[in-house]
Amino acid sequence: MTYSIALGPRIRKSPFFNSSVKAGVTHFTTYNHMYMPVSYGDLAAEYDRLINGVSMWDVAGERQVSLKGPDAMDLARMLTPRNLDGTKYGMGRYIPMTNSKGTLINDPVLQQVSDEEVWLSIADTDMKYWAEAIAVSKGMNVDVTEPDASPLAIQGPKAVDVVSDIMGDWVRDLKYFGFKHAEIQGIPLIVARSGWSKQGGYELYLLDGSKGDQLWDIVAEAGAAYGIGPGAPNYIERVESGLISVGADTDDDSNPFEMGMGKFMDLDQDVDFIGKAALKQIVEDGIKRRFCGVIMDGENLTATNSHQWEIHQDGQYVGFASAAAYSPRLDWNISTALITVEAAESDGGLVVMCDDGPRNARPTSLPFRKDQ
Ligand code: THG
């Protein structure tokens, strides 16, 4: 059976779309209503470049939601249980966002880009409408828009060399999630030390969508000496590293505590953020599930899962596996999973209902790779 997803005007093209096509993209997903590359046809080479070299990714689908105006920071504080005290220009922060039930609805990187403007670099849910609705309901003086800003990620151990060759040695001094406005050959950018991998790297936020191909070429040329090649947020590496993908790893009941985000939560702050009462109740009742890893028996997985796979224990449903893959570095079949606390703390006896049949499995903590 062969089928493909059709292209059309309702889903947007990234400023790097033509460059990705020229570089040989074979598979897209959609992310924030934009096509986003997921493969260039050789997953083993893409994984190897990320682990050992350097890789460039069109992640323009990580759209920005701009909160702009005198109440921008107050609105940001309403949107997250994270305490935003001390936030300043140049310092990004990873923030859980919750609804009134305490459900995790997004997990963006927040950047205060100027005195009265905050950007949320969102995962794949419609936070622009949510943020505007909250602002309107609270009578806040803030404008919520999607700015012309499109991240191009450069990831892997050699990313630091590529980006310092392009931008200058100052990028070596950026702290994790640190960022700064910059320009290269007349192209306005934000340069951030971030990216959805644990291999280190940068994100160049293109601030003029008409210059995507030009920026792509600059990075490809500077990276040639280091063997750069195209890639995409890497399925296997993100599972090894335990990075959260909202929507894939979560469901309509997932709260930040069960997702392991407790360290980003401050329920005692004065701010009356959305979900505060529900989250306090969740803490009082104790969490019922835990985001963890599972290691599965059987032949090496040759395909990833296209939907969440049920996990059973003693014949009972205990949760689901969300991103399963064979890890070449660990030589294990691994998956992220959201399962009952009892199942997560058991020694084994899990059964994952994979597409090719049930596999015995055991739980483990995240990340799978403890050395990073
Ligand atoms: N970069 C940018 N925008 C993004 C992502 C990104 N938007 C979508 C998505 N990724 C948002 N989700 C995440 C999830 C995890 C991380 C960043 C964004 C991440 N987490 C580290 C971890 O969990 O170990 C660090 C968290 C911390 O310690 O603060 O990096 O990647 N622009």
Side-chain angles (χ1 to χ4, degrees):
M1 188 165 50
T2 298
Y3 44 78
S4 59
I5 188 165
L7 275 63
R10 188 170 37 74
I11 301 170
R12 303 173 292 176
K13 289 180 174 172
S14 133
F16 311 112
F17 183 87
N18 291 335
S19 291
S20 314
V21 171
K22 252 172 60 186
V25 67
T26 56
H27 296 77
F28 288 101
T29 187
T30 68
Y31 203 82
N32 288 317
H33 314 282
M34 188 174 273
Y35 303 107
M36 188 162 82
V38 288
S39 176
Y40 289 78
D42 189 346
L43 287 170
E46 290 163 36
Y47 177 80
D48 183 64
R49 275 202 286 272
L50 171 61
I51 304 299
N52 300 310
V54 54
S55 180
M56 57 192 288
W57 308 349
D58 169 4
V59 286
E62 296 171 348
R63 302 311 291 164
Q64 307 306 299
V65 174
S66 162
L67 319 176
K68 190 173 184 179
D71 295 336
M73 191 47 81
D74 284 343
L75 176 57
R77 287 176 183 275
M78 289 299 301
L79 298 176
T80 178
R82 185 155 184 182
N83 190 324
L84 296 181
D85 287 359
T87 302
K88 55 179 190 212
Y89 176 84
M91 186 182 99
R93 311 184 82 177
Y94 181 46
I95 61 159
M97 292 175 73
T98 48
N99 67 11
S100 64
K101 295 180 175 136
T103 301
L104 181 69
I105 56 172
N106 207 294
D107 64 336
V109 179
L110 175 149
Q111 298 183 130
Q112 180 170 7
V113 294
S114 70
D115 282 351
E116 289 198 349
E117 187 168 6
V118 173
W119 284 6
L120 308 177
S121 187
I122 58 169
D124 186 25
T125 60
D126 290 312
M127 291 298 97
K128 183 175 69 171
Y129 305 130
W130 171 257
E132 199 205 4
I134 305 295
V136 168
S137 71
K138 304 279 175 195
M140 288 178 155
N141 186 359
V142 53
D143 193 27
V144 180
T145 60
E146 184 189 278
D148 179 4
S150 301
L152 179 67
I154 304 166
Q155 300 286 296
K158 297 180 183 166
V160 60
D161 296 320
V162 175
V163 178
S164 54
D165 282 1
I166 299 169
M167 303 302 312
D169 272 340
W170 63 269
V171 302
R172 294 177 184 273
D173 299 329
L174 282 176
K175 295 208 173 68
Y176 194 63
F177 282 147
F179 68 90
K180 224 169 139 173
H181 282 86
E183 206 179 274
I184 180 77
Q185 296 179 24
I187 307 173
L189 302 171
I190 286 175
V191 180
R193 192 153 205 168
S194 53
W196 206 57
S197 85
K198 283 286 185 184
Q199 307 311 311
Y202 294 82
E203 292 177 308
L204 307 182
Y205 290 65
L206 170 69
L207 304 182
D208 177 348
S210 72
K211 297 193 164 141
D213 297 328
Q214 201 186 328
L215 180 62
W216 180 283
D217 288 344
I218 290 169
V219 174
E221 277 162 32
Y226 303 95
I228 205 169
N234 190 276
Y235 204 90
I236 303 170
E237 193 275 344
R238 85 95 174 167
V239 177
E240 292 170 347
S241 301
L243 294 175
I244 295 170
S245 177
V246 166
D249 299 329
T250 58
D251 61 18
D252 279 351
D253 289 321
S254 312
N255 65 67
F257 292 105
E258 64 186 13
M259 296 309 293
M261 302 173 101
K263 65 180 168 191
F264 303 119
M265 309 287 283
D266 180 1
L267 305 187
D268 297 325
Q269 58 179 316
D270 287 339
V271 180
D272 194 22
F273 58 82
I274 313 285
K276 192 173 193 179
L279 288 160
K280 283 189 167 174
Q281 192 63 49
I282 286 165
V283 169
E284 202 180 307
D285 296 345
I287 57 166
K288 307 282 183 280
R289 300 187 294 182
R290 183 169 298 155
F291 185 55
C292 63
V294 294
I295 300 170
M296 290 168 280
D297 289 351
E299 299 290 300
N300 295 350
L301 286 165
T302 52
T304 52
N305 55 303
S306 63
H307 54 264
Q308 294 166 340
W309 283 337
E310 287 192 8
I311 301 181
H312 295 199
Q313 191 174 35
D314 300 327
Q316 300 281 320
Y317 174 85
V318 292
F320 57 85
S322 47
Y326 169 72
S327 162
R329 285 192 294 174
L330 298 166
D331 191 24
W332 287 337
N333 290 312
I334 60 174
S335 181
T336 44
L338 186 57
I339 55 180
T340 61
V341 171
E342 294 75 30
E345 286 174 355
S346 66
D347 311 328
L350 303 178
V351 180
V352 182
M353 302 300 173
C354 303
D355 285 344
D356 62 0
R359 287 169 186 255
N360 293 327
R362 64 188 158 94
T364 183
S365 60
L366 291 172
F368 284 94
R369 301 252 325 169
K370 315 289 184 203
D371 61 342
Q372 50 193 19

